[in-house]
Structure formats: structure tokens, C-alpha cells
Amino acid sequence: MSDPAPHGSGSRMPLSIRIIGRSSAPGALFVVAVAAFFVFGLPLVASSIPDTDETPVPADATLTIGAPDASQVTVTLSGDWTEAARTDGNITLTNAGAELSIAAPQPIAATGTPDDVIARAVADLTADVEASWVASDPIELTTDAGDSGLCVTGTTVVDVAMTCAVQHGEEVSTLTATASAQVWPSLQPSVDAMVRSMRFTEAAA
């Protein structure tokens, strides 16, 4: 049988001595500091590292279309659309080669009802026999503000054209979008969201 290990050596030595090689109050404090770092320090470091899967979401921007002294429609921007042109009566946005146009509210006497607007859009599509447009059935919609409207989508092998008309009282605002069939699936959710966000403001009396 081998002789017992000398006192204070080998595996029976206190942890603080085995780590720093001597028994002392500073050694014990060192061990406590290391343990505290693993218990408290590492979680704090981990929480301070940004999650690369999270993308900051900027505040939604609003676009107002219409002259200051006339009825206006406000739309909440959705997606990476960029303003390309603006007048009192219209705003044009672009995204990945697609174009989105939103018109200021107009009296029904000038535009017709949403049914009339959609019927004209379908007639224009079917009149272009060379492109062979196929028009969807009109789809009813209700905006977040409670106004009703209609949308129709025309498609070819390579292009998509969408027309929406929303009525508020005796006025109608239209939204049209054109895009390639390739990019349209990724853009349609943002267009739908902007249509639903349309909110009318009547001209001051």
C-alpha cells in the first residue's frame, strides 16, 4: 500500500490553492470573483449581444394625397416603396421595378362608383388582345376605417396590373399597381395593406 499523500498536496488541497497555488485571502477572493462572473457576468454579456435574426422595424410613415383645401386620403406606407412623383392629385411609388399610383378623392360624379371604376379597368385589360390579359373577379374590401371598395387584378404571363377603388361618402379614391409577375407575389401583401389603411379626410367647410 502506498504512503498517504502529504498534507496539503494532491486532490485534497483546497480549490483556491489548486487554482492559484497558495492559500490566502486574495486566492479565495479570486475564486469568488470567477464564480460570480460565470453566474452574473456571462448572462449580462449575452443579453448585450444583438440578435442578428431581428431587424429593427421603423415607425410607419403616412402619405397624404390631395390639396390642403380639398378632401384628402391618407395611406400608411408598407414595404420598401419609394416616392417617385407627387402632385396634389396623385402620388406615385416604386419598388423593385413596380409602380404604385394613388389618386386623391374625387366626386363620384367624376369617377363613378367603385363598380364603375372596376368595370372600366376590366374593359381596358380585355381590350388589349395582344397581351392576353386575364382579369380576376372583383374582390370586395373594407378598409380599417370602415370604408368599402373593390379590387380587380389582371395578369399575363409576364405582367400584373391591380386596380382598387375605395368609396367614402360621395367620393372615391383609386389605387393602381403594375409589376412583373416575378416580383408581384412579394409586393402584393404591402399593396393590400396600403389599400386597407386608406383613411379619408373631408375638405374643411
Side-chain angles (χ1 to χ4, degrees):
M1 179 182 296
S2 61
D3 295 334
H7 178 69
S9 65
S11 61
R12 295 181 182 179
M13 295 175 63
L15 177 62
S16 63
I17 297 176
R18 296 204 305 272
I19 292 176
I20 64 173
R22 57 196 175 94
S23 177
S24 62
L29 290 175
F30 175 80
V31 174
V32 171
V34 171
F37 173 75
F38 280 97
V39 173
F40 301 106
L42 284 181
L44 289 175
V45 172
S47 65
S48 66
I49 299 175
D51 189 345
T52 55
D53 292 333
E54 294 181 358
T55 302
V57 179
D60 291 331
T62 56
L63 306 171
T64 301
I65 305 97
D69 58 348
S71 297
Q72 299 176 327
V73 62
T74 299
V75 176
T76 300
L77 188 64
S78 176
D80 297 325
W81 292 87
T82 301
E83 183 175 324
R86 175 192 287 267
T87 66
D88 282 344
N90 185 277
I91 188 169
T92 300
L93 309 174
T94 58
N95 186 356
E99 187 171 284
L100 175 66
S101 180
I102 307 168
Q106 298 294 320
I108 289 180
T111 63
T113 65
D115 290 285
D116 297 329
V117 174
I118 297 305
R120 286 198 304 271
V122 172
D124 290 341
L125 291 173
T126 56
D128 187 358
V129 293
E130 292 185 3
S132 299
W133 287 95
V134 176
S136 69
D137 291 331
I139 298 175
E140 296 181 355
L141 68 95
T142 302
T143 67
D144 296 337
D147 294 313
S148 60
L150 291 172
C151 289
V152 66
T153 302
T155 58
T156 70
V157 175
V158 295
D159 295 310
V160 175
M162 179 180 183
T163 299
C164 296
V166 177
Q167 181 175 347
H168 176 79
E170 295 301 312
E171 294 183 314
V172 172
S173 180
T174 59
L175 179 151
T176 59
T178 56
S180 69
Q182 182 178 4
V183 304
W184 178 248
S186 64
L187 300 180
Q188 184 176 0
S190 66
V191 176
D192 291 343
M194 285 189 277
V195 174
R196 292 194 302 270
S197 74
M198 296 175 73
R199 188 176 297 273
F200 291 75
T201 302
E202 297 179 2

